[in-house]
Amino acid sequence: MAWLGIEGHDATVDFFRRAAAKGRLSGSYLFVGPAGIGKRTFALKLAQALLCQTRDESLMDPCGACSACVQVAAGTHPDVMLISRPDDRAFIPVELLIGERDNRLGSGFCRHLSLKPYSNRRRVGIIDDADYLNAEGANALLKTLEEPPPDAVLILIGTSPAKQLPTIRSRCRQVRFSPLPTETVAELLLSLGWASDAGEADRLARWSGGSLTQARELADPALWEFMERWQTALARRSLDLAAWGKEIRQFVDAAGKEAFPRRRRLQQLASLSAEFFLRLVRAQFQTPPDAAGDVSPPGGSQLNPPAAHSLSPAWQGGAEAAAACAELCLAVHAAVDRNANVATLIDAWAHKLRQAMRNEPVAPILPF
């Protein structure tokens, strides 16, 4: 059963319902789980439940119609503040947390939480993209995390505890969110009109890793047309560095004029490449493909890149080289998050992939 239209997280709702009923809500929470599974939406619905004027918070069942619920949904409630990393910044600016340099602690996220609630109930602060808190940002939050203001709830949203600094992990109650079931992703894709039919919805869902955002991004025929040629070249270890570097740059640049969609497209390509190499590893050990590995990619038969199993006979690098290539692809994904220069990163990726395919020593890619 969906909670307030949010699928797949009923156990987490029960956790908060029990805590609220016993008066044991924590002052700070760290939501962790894959991107695109509803953590931010859940945090905002939780804020509604805590601020609803007609329902007790222990019910975790906001009415959705009172002025508080309407304001939270509209992003205008004075007791709720949500911040996230700007698209053009590698980290969450400290100014968002504690104000501008000439007015430190006079404004910003921490100042918001310290004030008395306008509603006489609670203050709720939500930090999306908490993976991008650097040491300066984490230190700015330290006092607020150590001594949360009365009746304040701080929610940080990230993808993994490992991506949080120790000062954050040790001071927050961790709440783990699981990937959405494949069937749920498929149903949501159809209901939202993001898939043309049940077959496409099912294919997207199986490649999504349980992330609705990932599933929607994968519904791009251009991505799979490119992957068909790219995977074939990878399997045959036929990487012309100059030619493929140019092709990848053109493919990434075609995503749009803004930096964010270009960087996101490179991450998509890196993720799919990593998955391809991991399936090659399994194929080397003759591991039967699982259900997800046995389906056609989104787009159907017209845009069906060769599967890792069908290309594995062409791969002569062995399982160790395939694993090293997968690790490089994941490193590229991480380097994009760290705001690495895209053109330099693409060139480094192609060069180091060729080294790994030949079982040559490969230096880390993250410095690029």
Side-chain angles (χ1 to χ4, degrees), residues 210-289:
S211 165
L212 186 60
T213 300
Q214 174 84 343
R216 187 183 188 187
E217 290 177 346
L218 290 175
D220 179 4
L223 178 63
W224 297 98
E225 289 175 345
F226 187 89
M227 283 301 298
E228 179 174 4
R229 296 183 296 105
W230 175 236
Q231 287 185 5
T232 301
L234 292 176
R236 294 173 180 169
R237 302 194 300 168
S238 56
L239 278 187
D240 181 322
L241 294 181
W244 272 110
K246 180 180 179 181
E247 285 209 41
I248 294 174
R249 284 193 295 272
Q250 290 176 341
F251 176 69
V252 168
D253 290 343
K257 295 181 179 180
E258 301 297 324
F260 180 78
R262 296 200 302 271
R263 301 178 73 83
R264 183 60 193 147
R265 175 167 277 191
L266 179 56
Q267 285 189 313
Q268 290 171 343
L269 181 58
S271 294
L272 289 172
S273 300
E275 176 63 21
F276 172 74
F277 280 117
L278 290 174
R279 293 185 182 192
L280 267 182
V281 172
R282 293 194 289 269
Q284 296 298 301
F285 291 103
Q286 298 182 337
T287 303

Side-chain angles (χ1 to χ4, degrees), residues 64-289:
C66 68
S67 60
C69 286
V70 171
Q71 285 180 309
V72 173
T76 58
H77 197 292
D79 287 333
V80 179
M81 185 174 191
L82 185 152
I83 64 171
S84 60
R85 176 181 66 94
D87 290 342
D88 61 346
R89 302 290 292 272
F91 298 100
I92 294 176
V94 70
E95 290 76 16
L96 290 179
L97 299 169
I98 55 175
E100 298 294 335
R101 188 172 298 277
D102 58 354
N103 189 32
R104 285 292 196 242
L105 301 178
S107 61
F109 185 84
C110 295
R111 171 67 174 170
H112 162 83
L113 282 180
S114 70
L115 297 175
K116 181 180 178 180
Y118 284 95
S119 62
N120 291 320
R121 299 195 65 172
R122 291 187 183 275
R123 283 262 177 176
V124 180
I126 303 170
I127 300 180
D128 203 1
D129 300 327
D131 292 352
Y132 304 104
L133 281 168
N134 59 10
E136 184 182 18
N139 289 334
L141 277 176
L142 192 59
K143 182 175 176 57
T144 301
L145 290 172
E146 289 180 335
E147 302 175 10
D151 299 320
V153 175
L154 167 59
I155 301 171
L156 292 86
I157 302 174
T159 58
S160 168
K163 290 189 175 182
Q164 314 305 319
L165 293 168
T167 51
I168 298 293
R169 289 198 306 269
S170 63
R171 292 168 174 81
C172 294
R173 179 72 181 269
Q174 290 185 27
V175 181
R176 293 180 179 272
F177 286 72
S178 300
L180 298 174
T182 299
E183 297 78 10
T184 299
V185 176
E187 291 170 2
L188 290 171
L189 288 170
L190 281 174
S191 65
L192 294 169
W194 294 350
S196 59
D197 54 46
E200 182 184 13
D202 182 65
R203 289 191 293 271
L204 288 168
R206 289 182 180 276
W207 281 78
S208 70
S211 165
L212 186 60
T213 300
Q214 174 84 343
R216 187 183 188 187
E217 290 177 346
L218 290 175
D220 179 4
L223 178 63
W224 297 98
E225 289 175 345
F226 187 89
M227 283 301 298
E228 179 174 4
R229 296 183 296 105
W230 175 236
Q231 287 185 5
T232 301
L234 292 176
R236 294 173 180 169
R237 302 194 300 168
S238 56
L239 278 187
D240 181 322
L241 294 181
W244 272 110
K246 180 180 179 181
E247 285 209 41
I248 294 174
R249 284 193 295 272
Q250 290 176 341
F251 176 69
V252 168
D253 290 343
K257 295 181 179 180
E258 301 297 324
F260 180 78
R262 296 200 302 271
R263 301 178 73 83
R264 183 60 193 147
R265 175 167 277 191
L266 179 56
Q267 285 189 313
Q268 290 171 343
L269 181 58
S271 294
L272 289 172
S273 300
E275 176 63 21
F276 172 74
F277 280 117
L278 290 174
R279 293 185 182 192
L280 267 182
V281 172
R282 293 194 289 269
Q284 296 298 301
F285 291 103
Q286 298 182 337
T287 303

